[in-house]
Amino acid sequence: DVDVRKVSILGKDSIHCGFHLIPYIVQTVIDTLPSSTYVLVTDTNVGNLHLSAFQAEFDSRKGNARFLPYVIAPGETSKSREGKAEIEDYLLLNKCTRDTVILALGGGVIGDLVGFVAATFMRGVRFVQIPTTLLAMVDSSVGGKTAIDTPHGKNLIGAFWQPEYIFIDAAFLETLPAREFSNGMAEVIKAALRYLRYTGVSRSVLPRIAPIQPTLSSIPDLKAVSLTRVQTAAIWNETEFAALESRAAEIFAAIQTPSVNFAGRTEATRSPAQQLLLSVIAGSIGVKAHIVTIDERETGLRNLVNFGHTIGHAIEAILTPAMLHGECVAVGMILEAEVARQLGVLSQVAVGRLTRCLKAYNLPVSLSDPRITSLPAARSLSVSKLLDIMKIDKKNSGPQKKIVILSRIGATYEPKATVVADKVIAKTLSE
Ligand code: ADP
Ligand code: ZN
């Protein structure tokens, strides 16, 4: 019996979280997604580290089916029309048909690109997300958004295409560079900030969750509520945020100490730090999965996950690729919290707490961070340039800019992004 924690999305328990899941992943795929051909696409970094384990599992379990691994170059440049065509040509050359199942093993680049290939190959084939970065685990692999970049901008061509499964194997984080881990923590902290219910965990897995209870304080609520209602409600609020704040060192330690492979037996075999890490990951996935479930095509509510992203994206547009997405969002969160403070909605104390928490995960919190000021691209960071870029944000209605305004740690001012005057944003940016 494998120790897996399931999170539901769009009415199905398709997100499976745990440690050292590769044998479980391969067996589940073969058992429940029967096919003549399994294609695994990864990049050279992840492939060098983890492909052989998948190869071995498929070799011993696949029967007559084919297992075709395909390795591409790492980095955002692969997420292009050419990169997509290259994978498609490989599939066509190998006579892949409609029954092909594609596995995307890697970070957000692989997930977005391979997901889009799956969405259009033979008018759509089944695919599986196996995210290997924290950012992809808690954010990009959940929600069914797939896309490629063009010279006109990022993620401009794509489709909504839901994976059959999202397998979250936290053991992959042990090979992830520390900077990439911090990058993902920005989204984890963002998820912990808002007061949100999520319909996360089905009753059948509750007994497995019980041992994790002491790690996050709201888990007892989850249990109490879910025993009486099928739709569970865990609440991420100030208490979860406090756990992230106070246990940063432990969470870092959880990925820096290689875990023993217990072949996913029982939770008793995990260290407390690993259990905490898994709770934190599953918690933020639960928040995202809930929002996707109630607002799959991103109309209004799903915009709430964009806290920190209005200003963060503008910063990222100027500083990419030197600064990573989560790093720009971390600065964006503080600046947007400052906007909320200017508006008299959020307290200085709350801004200070958020700042300290992001710093604890080694994230930048202002545009004057030396990691930013030392970059040549930082010379183009001006208030007018940032405001200009914010004009083309997808959340906008006409020229008005929208920002998710926090009213305190654990709540937003409105159940959607708020229209904010340019002069308020400009004042915050110039301070
Ligand atoms: P994201 O968009 O999720 O941040 P990318 O797909 O750009 O991520 O991946 C970031 C970098 O980390 C890439 O160079 C990728 O090859 C590498 N990488 C991804 N997962 C791992 C892992 N588990 N261990 C080591 N390196 C990884
Ligand atoms: Zn983001």
Side-chain angles (χ1 to χ4, degrees):
D1 199 17
V2 183
D3 169 23
V4 172
R5 189 170 168 178
K6 293 178 186 166
V7 178
S8 121
I9 180 162
L10 299 165
K12 284 198 278 182
D13 271 349
S14 45
I15 308 177
H16 297 199
C17 311
F19 277 93
H20 300 290
L21 295 183
I22 297 175
Y24 171 82
I25 294 171
V26 173
Q27 196 62 52
T28 306
V29 166
I30 288 173
D31 288 349
T32 63
L33 305 173
S35 175
S36 64
T37 309
Y38 300 95
V39 177
L40 182 149
V41 184
T42 190
D43 69 25
T44 50
N45 294 336
V46 180
N48 287 337
L49 293 161
H50 304 292
L51 180 57
S52 61
F54 280 90
Q55 179 77 59
E57 290 301 328
F58 269 101
D59 284 347
S60 69
R61 296 169 200 257
K62 71 182 170 46
N64 292 327
R66 293 189 294 172
F67 175 65
L68 305 176
Y70 190 63
V71 183
I72 66 169
E76 198 76 26
T77 47
S78 290
K79 216 182 114 176
S80 59
R81 289 173 176 149
E82 296 74 22
K84 180 170 183 261
E86 193 189 308
I87 299 171
E88 289 161 347
D89 288 343
Y90 174 81
L91 299 174
L92 293 168
L93 209 70
N94 283 283
K95 313 247 176 313
C96 293
T97 51
R98 275 235 63 200
D99 82 322
T100 298
V101 173
I102 307 182
L103 292 83
L105 174 71
V109 167
I110 290 286
D112 286 3
L113 168 67
V114 175
F116 190 32
V117 169
T120 63
F121 187 74
M122 304 281 157
R123 298 203 182 90
V125 295
R126 293 167 296 171
F127 93 113
V128 171
Q129 289 275 21
I130 311 168
T132 61
T133 65
L134 181 59
L135 184 63
M137 288 178 188
V138 300
D139 201 39
S140 54
S141 71
V142 180
K145 284 207 229 168
T146 72
I148 54 170
D149 304 334
T150 80
H152 294 275
K154 289 176 75 172
N155 300 327
L156 293 180
I157 315 276
F160 282 99
W161 192 245
Q162 297 294 341
E164 302 297 317
Y165 291 103
I166 304 167
F167 292 108
I168 309 289
D169 184 344
F172 287 127
L173 300 176
E174 290 162 17
T175 59
L176 192 67
R179 184 178 174 197
E180 295 287 346
F181 183 75
S182 296
N183 187 38
M185 279 310 296
E187 301 282 358
V188 172
I189 293 166
K190 180 203 72 183
L193 275 173
R194 281 173 318 96
Y195 189 87
L196 240 181
R197 288 158 194 285
Y198 71 89
T199 55
V201 187
S202 71
R203 269 203 248 190
S204 58
V205 297
L206 273 175
R208 298 187 186 289
I209 289 173
I212 310 178
Q213 275 185 27
T215 58
L216 283 179
S217 51
S218 75
I219 303 289
D221 295 346
L222 169 98
K223 194 178 167 205
V225 177
S226 42
L227 290 174
T228 54
R229 283 194 290 162
V230 179
Q231 298 278 284
T232 60
I235 296 179
W236 278 77
N237 58 18
E238 226 172 312
T239 342
E240 273 62 49
F241 182 76
L244 287 177
E245 241 175 348
S246 61
R247 302 184 69 175
E250 243 177 291
I251 291 173
F252 262 117
I255 59 147
Q256 278 158 359
T257 335
S259 64
V260 181
N261 186 350
F262 292 104
R265 255 169 279 140
T266 65
E267 283 171 18
T269 58
R270 290 184 201 149
S271 72
Q274 286 172 348
Q275 292 193 33
L276 175 67
L277 179 64
L278 205 57
S279 283
V280 161
I281 294 172
S284 14
I285 290 172
V287 170
K288 178 90 192 262
H290 171 69
I291 294 179
V292 169
T293 301
I294 57 179
D295 187 15
E296 187 181 0
R297 295 289 166 120
E298 195 158 308
T299 51
L301 240 193
R302 194 164 165 181
N303 269 342
L304 277 184
V305 301
N306 288 329
F307 172 63
H309 284 62
T310 303
I311 298 179
H313 273 151
I315 297 169
E316 188 179 3
I318 297 173
L319 299 182
T320 194
M323 296 301 283
L324 305 176
H325 175 73
E327 295 169 339
C328 298
V329 167
V331 178
M333 283 195 274
I334 295 303
L335 290 170
E336 292 184 10
E338 281 292 344
V339 167
R341 197 183 58 82
Q342 296 273 0
L343 294 171
V345 173
L346 186 69
S347 74
Q348 177 63 56
V349 175
V351 181
R353 272 186 79 187
L354 179 55
T355 304
R356 282 192 301 280
C357 186
L358 292 166
K359 277 187 174 165
Y361 291 93
N362 206 20
L363 286 159
V365 291
S366 98
L367 291 173
S368 44
D369 187 286
R371 286 169 282 187
I372 294 178
T373 52
S374 64
L375 299 171
R379 281 192 293 259
S380 0
L381 278 171
S382 66
V383 173
S384 61
K385 179 106 187 262
L386 288 168
L387 285 171
D388 212 45
I389 298 170
M390 277 179 240
K391 269 189 206 152
I392 52 167
D393 193 297
K394 286 200 278 289
K395 291 188 293 303
N396 290 352
S397 37
Q400 289 178 313
K401 301 189 174 60
K402 287 189 183 172
I403 290 181
V404 175
I405 297 294
L406 283 188
S407 55
R408 59 182 174 78
I409 294 199
T412 54
Y413 178 60
E414 288 189 276
K416 57 181 167 54
T418 300
V419 172
V420 180
D422 272 20
K423 64 172 195 291
V424 178
I425 304 173
K427 182 159 187 278
T428 307
L429 290 175
S430 52
E431 271 171 5

